[in-house]
Amino acid sequence: MDIKNDKSGKGSFRGCRAAVVPLVFMSVFSLDAFAQLEEVIVTAQKRAQSADDVGMSIQAISGSALKDNGVVDASDLTQLISGFTFSRSNANTPIFTLRGIGFQTPNLSSSSPVGVYLDEVALAYPYMANGPLFDIERVEVLKGPQGTLYGRNTTGGLVNFIAAKPTQDFESSVTMEAGNYDTYNFEGFVNGAISDTVSVRLAARSENSDEGWQKSRSRNDELGEKERAAARLSVLWEPNDRLTANFGASWWQDKSDTVATQASAFIPDEPAFINPGIPASVYSDWDNDEADWGASAPGRPEYRTDSRFYSLTARFDYQLTDSTTLVSLTSYNDLERRDFTDADGTSLEVIDFDSMGEIQSFSQEFRIHGETDNTKWLVGAFYAEDEIVDNQVGYYDEGSTVEFLRFVGLTIPQTEFTPEEISNGFARFGNKSDHDIRSYSILGNVEWMLNEQVTILAGLRYTKDRTEFAGCSTDHEGNTRPVWNTTLDLVASGVGGSANVGVNECLTFNESLTDNVLVQNTLEEENVSGRIGINYMPNEDMLIYASLAQGYKTGAFPVVPGNSEVQFEPAVQEKLVAYEVGVKSSLFDRAAQLNASVFFYDYTDKQLYGNVIDPVFTTLELVVNVPESEVYGGEIELTVSPTDSLRFGLNASYTHSEITDFIGINSLGEAEDFAGSDFPYTPEWQVNGQISYLLPVGSEFNLISNLSAHYQTFSEGVIGGEHDFRIGSYTTVNATMNLVKNDDSFQVGLYARNLFDENYWTNADTLQDTIFRVPGMPRTYGVSVSYNFD
């Protein structure tokens, strides 16, 4: 194994101290000793190109570099990708943010402005990316709006995982891992030909840990066991010189424990009715392996996920002429999820969610690629349809607001409910929704080479989206009604209305409070996204580029505890105009690669989870549009190979995000002008670094060591948040050390993730009575053994 062949290693060194690494190595190693970096081939523009020839900000990372740097799922990309952050919502949905562009929604049904793809097929909803990473050839991360070439519009960028493909040559591999928390993982693949025209690759991974990594602070209890598995079947059919067909089937399931939150501050909604156990469960000194959650009880689910996903794809590439190719890309994705999560961080049942849903997603894309002597062009059409059910049951028995509502209900004369029913009422409630989404697009892209040095690029995409929505909050099995039909009926009667709700019927009031309704609405939108750019290559080792791009993200309906139909108004599509200038330069006869870029984003109608003042519940959630905001910053990436045995990389990004026009309600229920506020999950500085070193051991083995680190400054969990909503700065370090046989047939090694056991968290928010945070995992470590068969 020769580490010089892996150019893609972009990771970190210990915090900001990584900035001194280039100077150290430049002084220790003479330029004459430098080894040449291997060229990285990507398909970011729908054809094979060197990453150094693509006039946009793109990071490409090989599958081996992902393993070497401890990347086992999409969330771990923060270790390598500058400007990329990951968080997890209180409902266990992933939240991806790139250069400040993200959407902090807990809803299964909301798409992300940072798209995730597998072999150019959109995993259109972030939860679909919850499976493990395995048998990956490389990952390509494109930054900025991506509306002209990829199936779904995104404003922030996209992450495209490229799976390893079948070949005619037989090969197979198996890897076994064992580590702390009683961890045992298995991964393997087999590849080869079954005829002269058909090749097959089957890969799988399982991950298990039988000991929880979270310890309850109030009792002898654990959470954090892992049980997930995935498999992928790929078939390549090449019947003749003109037709290539790729068929794929992938699957994953997850039965792991969900992550418990930590109550870090006490903010009672109804102070006079607070359970004394709530403030007693709030701490400011949580360790990363501590948390608290409700104890097991009859009728309550376990804090666990029970989810599965499968995908079927078919791609046909047919060469119409020597210079034109027709591509057909068809996909079907099917997801079912159930997650029971703690959302208050205490040992009481203040607010927990049992989130259930399913998605059936179909897409079809046709493209024709062509080229002449000085142009390359593409035209295409795209269609997608998604059917989504996104439901929740809220567990609400010990919050201060429900205790207040019960108290009021017991004072109201009525004959329908007994005092016992009211005293135990509203311990549960439901949220339900159905989404029917259709998207249509036509697109075109052209690259015109004016001469050997200058290329002009232009692309346009017209998109039309239609979303039909039906949803409301509901009674749950008759438990919500005793309080709703007494206390809330009193509120409604003040304006001549009524809250006479039947079993499992909608609780949500219409705007005038005269009736409880199933909210039904349709959102139709259209847009034209595009990109123009210029590439200038003064010589074969340098590319200077500039671009102007406009992108959109489709509108979104929320799934929220909805007292009023106003909360179910959709956020309309957001628009981002991006200006970027960059340079990519190979140095010292390709011994080093230096990339740098600066960007400015003009952001209109940014989608954001916000709040509305409620006379009963203080605040309730909804999705809003931020009228005006902006992001600007810069990035620099340096990869150097001083010798055949040593390589290091350094990435640094600066991101300034700012809301310039938005007046809304903060998380404490107060009206606030948010102008000047940062975006959620957007640290100002991020630094990644990676060092790889190869040491020969005898005549048959090499010892290969990898060290990577990620540092980020503090960020905010909510806009306008006070200190209690802050996500503190942190540094995480991963390390691997592998003894590898020279022919790559066998290796044994050690790994550690979060090597220095950094205490950090990735989210901070509030729902009822507490501010909670979502902790990152403590140190994990173990041993791995791999054997390759040829």
Side-chain angles (χ1 to χ4, degrees):
M1 180 175 180
D2 188 349
I3 64 173
K4 72 177 183 179
N5 290 330
D6 179 13
K7 176 187 176 184
S8 59
K10 297 180 174 69
S12 89
F13 203 57
R14 181 70 172 167
C16 288
R17 287 170 285 181
V20 304
V21 173
L23 298 178
V24 173
F25 283 105
M26 293 288 279
S27 63
V28 173
F29 297 93
S30 68
L31 298 184
D32 292 338
F34 277 29
Q36 196 173 73
L37 291 167
E38 189 75 8
E39 187 174 51
V40 177
I41 303 301
V42 298
T43 54
Q45 298 190 118
K46 305 299 187 181
R47 68 177 192 278
Q49 295 174 276
S50 168
D52 303 335
D53 295 336
V54 179
M56 68 174 67
S57 182
I58 176 174
Q59 286 183 250
I61 303 169
S62 72
S64 60
L66 295 175
K67 287 186 176 181
D68 290 343
N69 292 285
V71 176
V72 294
D73 57 38
S75 65
D76 295 325
L77 289 177
T78 55
Q79 198 74 13
L80 303 175
I81 303 299
S82 56
F84 181 83
T85 65
F86 167 83
S87 183
R88 194 170 290 282
S89 77
N90 58 64
N92 203 35
T93 48
I95 302 171
F96 303 115
T97 303
L98 191 55
R99 287 180 170 177
I101 310 304
F103 185 25
Q104 90 290 20
T105 172
N107 294 162
L108 173 72
S109 51
S110 294
S111 60
S112 172
V114 180
V116 178
Y117 288 73
L118 178 62
D119 290 330
E120 299 183 11
V121 172
L123 305 179
Y125 301 90
Y127 198 99
M128 292 179 173
N130 260 354
L133 290 183
F134 64 103
D135 202 36
I136 297 295
E137 178 183 305
R138 69 183 183 277
V139 59
E140 301 174 6
V141 180
L142 284 60
K143 302 175 183 180
Q146 303 296 326
T148 56
L149 290 174
Y150 283 81
R152 307 249 183 173
N153 284 340
T154 57
T155 46
L158 62 87
V159 179
N160 187 22
F161 293 101
I162 311 297
K165 298 299 185 293
T167 64
Q168 286 277 302
D169 299 327
F170 173 80
E171 56 180 334
S172 63
S173 176
V174 61
T175 298
M176 295 170 284
E177 300 170 351
N180 61 333
Y181 300 113
D182 288 344
T183 295
Y184 50 99
N185 303 329
F186 300 91
E187 182 175 338
F189 74 87
V190 60
N191 173 88
I194 60 175
S195 75
D196 291 341
T197 60
V198 179
S199 306
V200 176
R201 189 180 186 98
L202 176 63
R205 179 174 173 86
S206 68
E207 299 177 348
N208 298 271
S209 60
D210 292 340
E211 179 186 349
W213 60 272
Q214 291 190 294
K215 318 299 180 186
S216 170
R217 198 155 183 175
S218 65
R219 62 189 184 279
N220 184 22
D221 201 357
E222 294 180 353
L223 202 63
E225 294 181 10
K226 180 181 289 187
E227 182 185 345
R228 65 177 188 169
R232 184 186 307 117
L233 174 66
S234 303
V235 180
L236 172 63
W237 178 43
E238 298 175 294
N240 54 54
D241 292 340
R242 290 191 174 274
L243 177 64
T244 300
N246 286 274
F247 304 96
S250 60
W251 161 90
W252 61 256
Q253 72 172 18
D254 191 352
K255 296 180 179 293
S256 307
D257 291 347
T258 54
V259 177
T261 58
Q262 301 170 334
S264 58
F266 176 53
I267 50 170
D269 288 344
E270 298 289 344
F273 294 87
I274 200 74
N275 186 313
I278 298 176
S281 298
V282 174
Y283 301 94
S284 60
D285 62 343
W286 292 100
D287 287 335
N288 55 357
D289 62 351
E290 292 183 313
D292 230 332
W293 57 93
S296 297
R300 282 171 53 89
E302 297 295 323
Y303 290 99
R304 185 172 299 150
T305 181
D306 185 4
S307 304
R308 66 107 184 109
F309 169 80
Y310 71 84
S311 176
L312 302 172
T313 62
R315 173 172 175 155
F316 297 91
D317 290 64
Y318 184 73
Q319 193 171 347
L320 299 172
T321 69
D322 290 343
S323 60
T324 58
T325 301
L326 171 67
V327 177
S328 171
L329 184 57
T330 309
S331 73
Y332 174 76
N333 295 330
D334 193 291
L335 172 73
E336 292 182 2
R337 66 84 62 103
R338 182 178 183 182
D339 297 272
F340 189 59
T341 54
D342 177 276
D344 55 77
T346 76
S347 59
L348 284 77
E349 192 181 281
V350 180
I351 182 71
D352 295 345
F353 281 114
D354 192 10
S355 302
M356 299 156 285
E358 57 187 56
I359 300 175
Q360 288 82 42
S361 178
F362 169 83
S363 69
Q364 174 64 57
E365 182 175 354
F366 293 107
R367 306 193 304 262
I368 298 179
H369 303 249
E371 61 180 273
T372 64
D373 290 341
N374 61 352
T375 62
K376 295 180 174 63
W377 54 270
L378 176 154
V379 294
F382 175 81
Y383 170 74
E385 60 179 62
D386 305 328
E387 303 285 345
I388 306 173
V389 175
D390 193 359
N391 297 337
Q392 290 180 324
V393 175
Y395 286 68
Y396 192 44
D397 193 33
E398 297 176 286
S400 65
T401 300
V402 74
E403 293 291 359
F404 165 71
L405 296 177
R406 291 165 175 168
F407 172 80
V408 174
L410 289 170
T411 68
I412 298 172
Q414 51 82 43
T415 58
E416 184 177 3
F417 304 105
T418 67
E420 182 180 7
E421 288 175 319
I422 297 174
S423 296
N424 296 307
F426 213 163
R428 309 286 183 267
F429 64 90
N431 300 320
K432 70 175 185 179
S433 69
D434 292 281
H435 309 249
D436 185 345
I437 302 170
R438 301 290 185 271
S439 182
Y440 313 82
S441 299
I442 55 173
L443 59 131
N445 194 77
V446 64
E447 298 178 38
W448 179 29
M449 184 180 294
L450 296 180
N451 53 50
E452 292 184 355
Q453 294 180 311
V454 180
T455 301
I456 304 295
L457 306 93
L460 281 177
R461 181 192 194 97
Y462 168 78
T463 301
K464 183 175 182 179
D465 296 319
R466 176 184 173 90
T467 301
E468 297 179 0
F469 170 83
C472 66
S473 289
T474 71
D475 169 78
H476 181 70
E477 305 297 336
N479 175 263
T480 323
R481 296 176 64 244
V483 173
W484 198 270
N485 287 0
T486 53
T487 306
L488 275 296
D489 188 64
L490 178 66
V491 174
S493 65
V495 291
S498 173
N500 187 22
V501 173
V503 174
N504 293 332
E505 289 184 351
C506 286
L507 306 174
T508 304
F509 288 108
N510 61 8
E511 192 169 355
S512 62
L513 301 182
T514 58
D515 199 5
N516 303 98
V517 295
L518 174 68
V519 180
Q520 295 177 290
N521 201 349
T522 300
L523 178 65
E524 294 191 55
E525 300 175 306
E526 57 184 356
N527 60 70
V528 177
S529 56
R531 183 173 183 265
I532 57 174
I534 182 169
N535 293 347
Y536 172 58
M537 297 188 70
N539 56 61
E540 63 179 8
D541 293 325
M542 179 176 288
L543 168 65
I544 302 171
Y545 65 91
S547 66
L548 168 63
Q550 177 172 287
Y552 291 83
K553 177 195 173 297
T554 188
F557 287 90
V559 181
V560 293
N563 190 19
S564 168
E565 67 175 336
V566 173
Q567 291 176 252
F568 294 97
E569 287 295 314
V572 300
Q573 63 186 358
E574 64 180 31
K575 171 185 172 183
L576 188 143
V577 179
Y579 307 83
E580 182 163 346
V581 177
V583 60
K584 300 183 178 183
S585 180
S586 297
L587 307 172
F588 313 129
D589 192 26
R590 294 195 58 80
Q593 180 70 34
L594 178 64
N595 300 338
S597 62
V598 293
F599 59 90
F600 176 81
Y601 291 167
D602 185 5
Y603 210 172
T604 304
D605 287 331
K606 171 181 172 58
Q607 295 171 9
L608 191 73
Y609 242 68
N611 299 286
V612 60
I613 293 177
D614 186 86
V616 176
F617 300 96
T618 308
T619 64
L620 289 172
E621 294 176 306
L622 76 169
V623 290
V624 298
N625 290 108
V626 176
E628 298 291 341
S629 51
E630 65 183 27
V631 184
Y632 60 82
E635 298 170 345
I636 187 168
E637 307 166 29
L638 175 66
T639 307
V640 181
S641 185
T643 71
D644 284 347
S645 299
L646 178 67
R647 187 193 63 244
F648 70 90
L650 171 70
N651 303 334
S653 66
Y654 170 79
T655 307
H656 174 86
S657 62
E658 182 178 348
I659 292 172
T660 56
D661 177 22
F662 177 51
I663 297 175
I665 306 300
N666 65 25
S667 296
L668 304 179
E670 302 162 340
E672 184 172 340
D673 185 349
F674 289 103
S677 297
D678 297 342
F679 292 176
Y681 317 130
T682 307
E684 195 168 47
W685 285 98
Q686 291 176 269
V687 180
N688 299 325
Q690 185 234 1
I691 299 175
S692 297
Y693 184 66
L694 180 150
L695 177 67
V697 179
S699 60
E700 295 189 17
F701 289 89
N702 293 312
L703 183 65
I704 302 176
S705 303
N706 293 274
L707 183 72
S708 68
H710 166 77
Y711 166 79
Q712 67 179 52
T713 55
F714 75 86
S715 59
E716 306 293 347
V718 299
I719 62 167
E722 300 296 331
H723 181 74
D724 288 327
F725 291 97
R726 181 158 292 178
I727 300 169
S729 62
Y730 64 89
T731 302
T732 54
V733 178
N734 293 353
T736 61
M737 182 178 293
N738 293 298
L739 185 66
V740 183
K741 198 170 183 181
N742 289 342
D743 61 3
D744 277 347
S745 63
F746 171 79
Q747 75 174 49
V748 60
L750 303 173
Y751 69 86
R753 302 183 183 96
N754 193 8
L755 176 64
F756 298 108
D757 205 21
E758 181 83 335
N759 187 7
Y760 70 100
W761 57 98
T762 63
N763 199 352
D765 207 342
T766 182
L767 286 175
Q768 291 285 320
D769 294 333
T770 66
I771 294 175
F772 65 85
R773 61 194 196 192
V774 181
M777 283 195 69
R779 176 173 49 233
T780 57
Y781 55 86
V783 60
S784 66
V785 179
S786 297
Y787 193 85
N788 299 325
F789 306 86
D790 292 326

